[in-house]
Amino acid sequence: MMISLIGCAVGILLGYAVCILQQYYGLVKVNANIAVANNAYPIDIRSGDFVLVFVTVLAISLLASAISARLSIKGLDDIKQDL
């Protein structure tokens, strides 16, 4: 669970950094063949998107942790019965 939260936080920070770089420097172009003043791919940074990503990762990691814990407990019960 902690690994997924750390990964989520790092991913969100890296995503934000790439968005800022795209806004200021236009790293990704829409079409290289068109000669216009600004043909950089437009982006819009919304805080709600970052919250949605964090909540989604949190929900998936909680589900995966719960399944893993349940399977671990089942395995321990089987081991106890064998003893």
Side-chain angles (χ1 to χ4, degrees):
M1 176 81 175
M2 191 169 193
I3 292 172
S4 63
L5 291 179
I6 292 171
C8 180
V10 170
I12 286 175
L13 290 174
L14 285 174
Y16 183 73
V18 169
C19 287
I20 294 295
L21 288 173
Q22 175 63 20
Q23 278 187 338
Y24 286 109
Y25 300 109
L27 303 174
V28 179
K29 306 292 183 197
V30 174
N31 192 351
N33 297 332
I34 299 174
V36 294
N38 185 12
N39 67 346
Y41 189 80
I43 61 166
D44 185 23
I45 299 175
R46 298 180 185 169
S47 60
D49 293 340
F50 289 96
V51 171
L52 180 63
V53 168
F54 183 78
V55 169
T56 303
V57 170
L58 181 65
I60 291 171
S61 64
L62 279 172
L63 182 64
S65 296
I67 292 171
S68 177
R70 188 173 184 105
L71 291 175
S72 296
I73 291 172
K74 273 187 176 179
L76 288 176
D77 289 339
D78 292 341
I79 291 171
K80 285 181 184 177
Q81 288 177 358
D82 291 341
L83 292 177

